[in-house]
């Protein structure tokens, strides 16, 4: 069908080539950049349509557009194009993680025993139950069970941040969801770093890999984060607060950190999260406190979630994988809700339950962690980490809806009149 439609234009083009020698050969396929741009537009339109007509978070539309146009379904975006787009996805996720890190109020968290207790219960119970489920019921080795727990124990910071911003969430539940997500992400990144050594210890014949790789990742990310934060604060302190120049300095410093992390094989999400934490902790003059990218978040989200949706290998998932992934998500949800309910505190039981629902998203960060870990030993890591990857794929679609539902049930969404979820 396509060949028939293109036959006449090809013949005309080739006849023109005989006289117009500057013309290129007839294009056999659409340029990958043009296709990628069309995919972003499709993601934007689908996200807006779902949000306007069904009240769903826009992120769901971005992911659906990626899934539909990616290699798993229509195949309009090839695997090669996704590989070329990976630096863009790294930059998008990095900037979003920078904002999450900047919003982590360590002082508030450290001064409140209630928050320490609830986040501690969440982190500990989530990791333990997921590890036991993966090891005893699924049959993964201890190393890959720990990897599964590290990848899936925390909520998706980018999804939570964007969903709360989209819903204009304000109140105790919104603040607790953000705090639990940020603290849980920090714990997940620490567990991820430790698990690198555990995986090497199980599969590598050289103990040096197990000892040095976690240090390389942890120390490397920390040093790049400190350098990036100091550079941004040093320059921004000499500029007008809240100016466009400060926004440029913040973005440029973050992009420099992304580039350094990629060159040194250090996870971008960890580096930029730490850079955000450093910016918040070291900004004593509040040079960048009120400098943010409120509108830029959505441009980054479209790029990130369309790419992540397109890169998910849906064709490799079967019915057994589906059942196992749903069981993992059930165990994870149980752990988080039990942790919030048993932690007690000043927040009512109903609102603690809503916080537990609101921190269910699992998305881009988990997918990137899976790919980082699986790349160490592809023959073993790919099959072993199919479970958390499938769980993340499912929650790419369900997670934002659950978070939005929790905000609406808490009465903290300012968009309650715009349709119904689900």
């Amino acid at each position: 069908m396509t060949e028939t439609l293109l036959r006449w234009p090809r013949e005309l083009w080739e006849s023109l080539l005989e006289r117009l020698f500057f013309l290129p050969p007839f294009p056999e396929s659409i340029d990958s950049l043009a296709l990628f741009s069309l995919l972003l537009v499709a993601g934007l339109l689908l996200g807006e349509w779902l949000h306007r007509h069904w009240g769903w978070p826009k992120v769901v539309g971005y992911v659906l557009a990626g899934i539909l146009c990616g290699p798993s379904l229509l195949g309009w975006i090839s695997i090669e194009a996704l590989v070329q787009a990976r630096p863009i996805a790294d930059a998008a996720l990095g900037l979003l993680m920078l904002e999450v890190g900047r919003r982590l109020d360590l002082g508030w968290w450290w001064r409140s025993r209630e928050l320490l207790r609830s986040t501690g219960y969440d982190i500990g119970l989530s990791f333990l139950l997921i590890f036991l489920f993966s090891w005893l019921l699924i049959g993964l080795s201890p190393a890959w069970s720990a990897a599964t727990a590290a990848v899936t124990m925390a909520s998706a910071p980018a999804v939570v941040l964007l969903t709360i911003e989209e819903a204009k969430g304000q109140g105790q539940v919104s603040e607790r969801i953000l705090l639990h997500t940020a603290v849980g992400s920090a714990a997940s990144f620490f567990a991820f770093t430790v698990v690198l050594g555990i995986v090497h210890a199980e599969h590598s014949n050289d103990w040096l890999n197990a000892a040095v790789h976690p240090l390389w990742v942890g120390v490397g990310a920390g040093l790049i984060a400190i350098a990036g934060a100091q550079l941004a604060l040093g320059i921004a302190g000499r500029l007008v607060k809240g100016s466009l120049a400060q926004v440029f300095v913040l973005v440029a410093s973050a992009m420099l950190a992304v580039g350094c992390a990629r060159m040194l094989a250090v996870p971008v999400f960890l580096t930029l999260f730490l850079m955000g934490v450093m910016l918040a902790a070291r900004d004593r003059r509040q040079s960048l406190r009120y400098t943010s990218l409120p509108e830029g978040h959505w441009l980054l989200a479209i790029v990130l979630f369309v790419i992540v949706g397109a890169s998910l290998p849906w064709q490799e998932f079967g019915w057994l994988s589906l059942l196992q992934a749903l069981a993992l998500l059930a165990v994870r949800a149980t752990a988080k809700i039990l942790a919030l309910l048993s932690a007690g505190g000043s927040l009512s039981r109903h609102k603690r339950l809503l916080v537990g629902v609101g921190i269910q998203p699992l998305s881009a960060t988990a997918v990137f962690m899976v790919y980082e870990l699986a790349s160490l030993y592809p023959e073993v890591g790919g099959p072993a980490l199919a479970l958390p990857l499938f769980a993340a794929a499912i929650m790419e679609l369900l997670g934002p809806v659950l978070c939005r539902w929790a905000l609406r049930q808490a009465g903290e969404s300012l968009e309650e009149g715009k349709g119904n979820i689900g």
Side-chain angles (χ1 to χ4, degrees):
M1 178 68 176
T2 305
E3 284 297 319
T4 304
L5 292 174
L6 292 177
R7 184 175 60 186
W8 182 80
R10 182 183 286 107
E11 291 175 352
L12 176 62
W13 189 278
E14 290 173 353
S15 66
L16 290 173
L17 277 174
E18 297 176 2
R19 301 183 63 185
L20 304 177
F21 62 88
F22 60 85
L23 290 177
F26 184 81
E28 297 297 333
S29 61
I30 301 178
D31 181 78
S32 59
L33 180 59
L35 268 176
F36 183 65
S37 300
L38 291 174
L39 177 57
L40 294 180
V41 173
L44 170 66
L45 294 177
L46 185 55
E48 292 291 339
W49 190 88
L50 289 174
H51 178 64
R52 184 176 296 112
H53 290 86
W54 295 89
W56 288 8
K58 296 175 184 177
V59 171
V60 176
Y62 307 155
V63 175
L64 283 174
I67 294 171
L68 181 65
C69 301
S72 296
L73 290 179
L74 296 178
W76 292 349
I77 299 297
S78 65
I79 295 176
E80 293 75 18
L82 288 173
V83 171
Q84 294 174 1
R86 176 60 190 267
I88 303 175
D90 278 337
L93 179 60
L95 283 172
L96 289 169
M97 294 305 300
L98 178 77
E99 286 299 298
V100 173
R102 292 175 67 197
R103 296 183 184 215
L104 178 56
D105 191 342
L106 290 173
W108 177 40
W109 174 69
W110 186 253
R111 289 189 299 269
S112 173
R113 290 188 177 182
E114 176 184 336
L115 295 177
L116 283 170
R117 184 170 59 249
S118 63
T119 53
Y121 285 6
D122 175 21
I123 293 166
L125 196 57
S126 296
F127 185 91
L128 178 62
L129 292 188
I130 294 170
F131 173 82
L132 292 176
F133 170 81
S134 304
W135 181 34
L136 300 178
L137 295 182
I138 302 299
L140 298 179
S141 70
W144 292 112
S145 297
T148 300
V151 166
T152 58
M153 63 185 284
S155 184
V159 171
V160 168
L161 173 65
L162 293 167
T163 302
I164 290 178
E165 284 193 355
E166 181 186 56
K168 298 181 175 63
Q170 295 179 357
Q172 289 181 316
V173 171
S174 300
E175 291 174 358
R176 295 293 180 95
I177 290 174
L178 275 174
L179 180 71
H180 270 267
T181 299
V183 174
S185 296
S188 177
F189 296 156
F190 175 78
F192 167 82
T193 305
V194 174
V195 162
L196 289 172
I198 297 174
V199 170
H200 281 304
E202 185 173 285
H203 295 283
S204 177
N205 295 324
D206 191 345
W207 63 268
L208 201 60
N209 287 308
V212 175
H213 195 180
L215 290 175
W216 178 266
V217 168
V219 176
L223 291 177
I224 296 172
I226 292 171
Q230 286 298 110
L231 177 64
L233 292 173
I235 300 175
R238 294 171 171 81
L239 301 173
V240 178
K241 290 186 178 180
S243 64
L244 182 61
Q246 281 197 331
V247 175
F248 177 81
V249 167
L250 181 62
V251 173
S253 301
M255 290 298 96
L256 178 60
V258 170
C260 292
R262 286 177 57 84
M263 285 191 298
L264 297 176
V266 174
V268 170
F269 53 83
L270 173 59
T271 304
L272 272 291
F273 176 79
L274 291 177
M275 182 176 168
V277 173
M278 296 295 176
L279 282 171
R282 296 188 171 213
D283 194 4
R284 297 181 180 87
R285 297 170 57 189
Q286 297 190 344
S287 301
L288 289 172
R289 181 175 179 82
Y290 303 105
T291 301
S292 59
L293 308 171
E295 297 300 326
H297 287 157
W298 291 105
L299 174 62
L300 298 173
I302 297 170
V303 173
L304 174 63
F305 290 105
V306 166
I307 292 175
V308 171
S311 65
L312 291 170
W314 287 94
Q315 71 277 10
E316 297 179 10
F317 301 138
W319 286 107
L320 178 59
S321 302
L322 173 62
L323 293 175
Q324 291 177 340
L326 291 175
L328 171 63
L329 292 174
V331 169
R332 179 177 179 268
T334 301
K336 291 188 174 300
I337 291 174
L338 280 179
L340 268 295
L341 291 179
S342 60
S346 59
L347 209 61
S348 69
R349 186 180 181 87
H350 175 65
K351 288 191 173 183
R352 277 183 277 139
L353 176 62
L354 292 178
V355 173
V357 174
I359 60 176
Q360 293 303 317
L362 184 66
S363 186
T365 314
V367 173
F368 278 58
M369 280 198 217
V370 166
Y371 289 150
E372 290 275 352
L373 286 165
S375 66
L376 297 177
Y377 302 95
E379 317 81 32
V380 182
L385 291 176
L387 174 60
L389 184 61
F390 197 6
I394 294 170
M395 291 305 286
E396 283 272 15
L397 303 174
L398 295 182
V401 178
L402 290 173
C403 186
R404 171 67 72 86
W405 181 85
L407 295 175
R408 289 190 172 184
Q409 291 300 309
E412 296 183 9
S413 170
L414 300 184
E415 295 187 337
E416 293 182 55
K418 293 187 178 182
N420 297 316
I421 291 182

